[in-house]
Amino acid sequence: MNDDKELHEDLERGLKARHIQLIGLGGAIGVGLFLGSATAIELAGPSVLLTYIIGGIAIYFMMRALGELSIAYPVSGAFSAHAARFLGPKWGYLTGWTYWYMWMVTCMAELTAVGIYMNFWFPELPQWVSALAALVFMTAINFIAVSAYGECEFWFALIKIVTIIFMIVSGAGMIFFGIGNGGVATGISNLWANGGFFPNGLEGTLMALVMVMYSYLGIEIIGVTAGEAKDPQNSIRKSINEVFWRILIFYVLSLAVIMSIYPWNEIGHMGSPFVITFEKLGISGAADIINLVVISAVLSSCNSGIFSSGRMLYNLSLQGNAPQCFQTLNRHRLPWVGIVFSAFILLIAVALNYVMPSEVFVYITSVGSFGAMWTWFVILRTQQKFRASLTEEEKKHVKFKMPGAPYTGWLTIAFLFCVVVASAFREDTRVALYVTPVWFIILLIGYRFIERKKRRDGRKVVDVVAATENHPAAEAND
């Protein structure tokens, strides 16, 4: 039976406000913007800007739901612990393990990408060497202290931010003043001059929406940082409130600049939109610069994956849904067993990635992409249940209310459902609809065994959230 000590998280609160700000920003900006955006542009043309805005609004409401929960109950298990409390232990179990799996397959793909991008500079270097070096480095960072992870993410995110801002400012100079284009201003007519704003119709826009939503994967990591934030109420509130504007500026504005300079139907055949824009500006070594930025984005994602997976295993263990060894902390109060276990799984996965057929790799990673959708859905439903559990007086004093709840929650859930349905019409995402149910069946079978063992050992189902000191209605809402 778990004692009181096991009910409480004992992680070090070493993440500063600036760390969480940049962690959230880094989670919203990934490799998809620098490389994958070309595919989205091919599908939707200039209307891809609309998909990022619509997707960004949905993400904003999801993050506000997460913020309401995370400020009321700042625990590292975040949505897994919250779901276990308000939806039931089974939901916490399914969400925690699915989120862990999502990061495992994401990191597996990212580590593989490190090898590919390093080959740009060192073509003779075996890909597995680069992948292994990246894994060892990221694991070591996560072993030092949580502040080391935060500092590392701060600089990784800063590299991406500086690159994007430079591209937006210099691109605007080309659009309005002809800088880098022989003094001839390009204007913004390319946004509608090549088949209109919707060149592939509404269907193309909807298909791009699937890719756009997957590019936001990882943004919910802000909730995981709550358990180790020095001042979770203020830092998380500020970070989440700025999510929508970050997306608007860094995604929409940067792509608007690129598609103003180049006809949208040429971008997909010219490589990375950022590389061709930098080359147009006369910047030597544009490909090297973007390759460096992309590698930093990949390492950032892997770093966040190891961080999140270790915390999720720690909290699942507190819930009684993972082995108790994952509760073990080192002298820096880090869940080192969960970190080592996750790194070991990644080591095996990366090795298998080089020997398994490409079809098998697609099946494994497809579940990870749907893991984000599942997590976002659970966050929204948990917020609704949390709010419903309060009295009318308590509802008036919730610290960080999700605007328009519960209606905005239901609309966002309906939107996520439409994205899942739309994914059935794309060959590269349809496979997840077949594989994901298998994953949940495996999890449910495992849950039956865990529940039997709990009953046999006389252990109680742990309510981790209930052990936190913050009460949802302790302060007035801002």
Side-chain angles (χ1 to χ4, degrees):
M1 184 178 295
N2 290 10
D3 56 29
D4 267 349
K5 184 176 182 296
E6 290 178 311
L7 296 179
H8 289 78
E9 290 194 337
D10 194 29
L11 303 176
E12 181 183 2
R13 292 193 174 273
L15 290 177
K16 301 177 182 177
R18 67 181 179 89
H19 292 153
I20 295 177
Q21 284 284 309
L22 272 293
I23 288 170
L25 186 54
I29 304 172
V31 177
L33 177 60
F34 297 102
L35 296 177
S37 55
T39 305
I41 291 172
E42 280 188 78
L43 286 170
S47 68
V48 73
L49 302 177
L50 186 60
T51 66
Y52 274 105
I53 293 173
I54 294 172
I57 292 172
I59 290 296
Y60 172 74
F61 284 118
M62 182 277 296
M63 291 298 290
R64 283 298 300 260
L66 176 61
E68 182 173 314
L69 293 164
S70 296
I71 289 178
Y73 300 108
V75 292
S76 68
F79 22 85
S80 172
H82 301 149
R85 170 74 187 276
F86 296 105
L87 299 180
K90 186 184 295 183
W91 286 82
Y93 164 84
L94 291 173
T95 303
W97 278 109
T98 299
Y99 194 67
W100 175 84
Y101 181 88
M102 182 197 82
W103 274 117
M104 287 297 95
V105 296
T106 299
C107 288
M108 179 173 68
E110 303 286 23
L111 289 170
T112 303
V114 169
I116 295 172
Y117 299 137
M118 287 300 293
N119 278 5
F120 178 81
W121 290 318
F122 308 103
E124 302 301 321
L125 183 68
Q127 289 186 21
W128 69 267
V129 174
S130 302
L132 178 61
L135 177 59
V136 171
F137 176 63
M138 292 297 99
T139 304
I141 290 294
N142 276 273
F143 251 83
I144 299 172
V146 70
S147 58
Y149 160 76
E151 201 65 34
C152 192
E153 281 302 290
F154 177 86
W155 290 106
F156 276 146
L158 203 59
I159 291 172
K160 293 183 280 188
I161 292 168
V162 170
T163 303
I164 294 170
I165 291 177
F166 177 78
M167 197 281 297
I168 291 173
V169 173
S170 56
M174 187 184 300
I175 291 170
F176 298 109
F177 306 107
I179 299 174
N181 195 43
V184 179
T186 63
I188 61 172
S189 61
N190 277 330
L191 292 177
W192 60 81
N194 302 283
F197 190 71
F198 295 92
N200 295 326
L202 192 58
E203 180 182 351
T205 306
L206 291 175
M207 290 302 99
L209 189 59
V210 177
M211 296 193 64
V212 165
M213 292 306 294
Y214 289 151
S215 70
Y216 293 139
L217 183 152
I219 196 171
E220 68 292 321
I221 194 175
I222 293 176
V224 181
T225 66
E228 292 165 275
K230 284 188 175 180
D231 184 9
Q233 294 186 19
N234 291 322
S235 57
I236 290 176
R237 177 188 286 112
K238 186 175 181 181
S239 183
I240 287 176
N241 271 337
E242 294 177 358
V243 164
F244 178 70
W245 298 111
R246 291 170 184 159
I247 292 170
L248 194 65
I249 293 172
F250 291 109
Y251 276 96
V252 178
L253 197 54
S254 62
L255 293 182
V257 167
I258 290 170
M259 288 187 293
S260 294
I261 297 173
Y262 299 97
W264 70 269
N265 50 359
E266 294 181 10
I267 293 175
H269 308 287
M270 302 168 68
S272 166
F274 280 77
V275 172
I276 60 176
T277 302
F278 278 20
E279 288 176 343
K280 181 84 170 177
L281 292 166
I283 299 174
S284 59
D288 290 291
I289 294 172
I290 296 303
N291 199 57
L292 176 63
V293 173
V294 168
I295 288 176
S296 71
V298 168
L299 292 176
S300 172
S301 177
C302 187
N303 195 28
S304 294
I306 294 173
F307 170 86
S308 299
S309 57
R311 273 66 182 177
M312 198 56 66
L313 290 176
Y314 172 73
N315 197 273
L316 281 168
S317 179
L318 292 176
Q319 295 179 43
N321 290 325
Q324 289 189 349
C325 63
F326 290 132
Q327 297 177 27
T328 308
L329 305 178
N330 65 7
R331 63 189 181 90
H332 297 296
R333 288 158 62 189
L334 299 174
W336 72 272
V337 177
I339 293 172
V340 169
F341 177 77
S342 297
F344 180 70
I345 294 298
L346 284 175
L347 185 64
I348 296 174
V350 170
L352 289 176
N353 183 34
Y354 292 112
V355 298
M356 69 173 61
S358 59
E359 294 81 6
V360 177
F361 181 74
V362 170
Y363 293 153
I364 291 174
T365 56
S366 65
V367 180
S369 61
F370 265 60
M373 292 290 180
W374 170 266
T375 301
W376 299 341
F377 163 73
V378 168
I379 289 170
L380 291 162
R381 281 297 293 138
T382 304
Q383 183 274 334
Q384 291 174 335
K385 288 290 187 179
F386 160 69
R387 190 75 73 85
S389 70
L390 303 177
T391 65
E392 289 302 318
E393 184 61 29
E394 287 175 331
K395 289 177 183 177
K396 296 177 183 177
H397 300 289
V398 172
K399 300 175 187 177
F400 189 55
K401 289 182 179 179
M402 177 185 177
Y407 308 109
T408 49
W410 285 118
L411 286 172
T412 308
I413 288 173
F415 172 79
L416 293 179
F417 177 75
C418 290
V419 172
V420 172
V421 172
S423 68
F425 296 92
R426 282 186 56 84
E427 186 176 349
D428 55 347
T429 54
R430 188 185 305 131
V431 64
L433 296 178
Y434 307 132
V435 180
T436 303
V438 176
W439 165 250
F440 280 104
I441 289 172
I442 293 172
L443 282 184
L444 289 171
I445 292 172
Y447 186 74
R448 292 287 297 272
F449 282 102
I450 290 174
E451 287 299 294
R452 286 181 184 178
K453 188 175 187 303
K454 285 180 182 177
R455 288 194 293 269
R456 187 172 64 247
D457 297 343
R459 296 174 62 196
K460 293 181 179 179
V461 176
V462 178
D463 186 352
V464 181
V465 170
T468 58
E469 296 179 358
N470 288 2
H471 188 274
E475 295 179 4
N477 181 59
D478 291 318

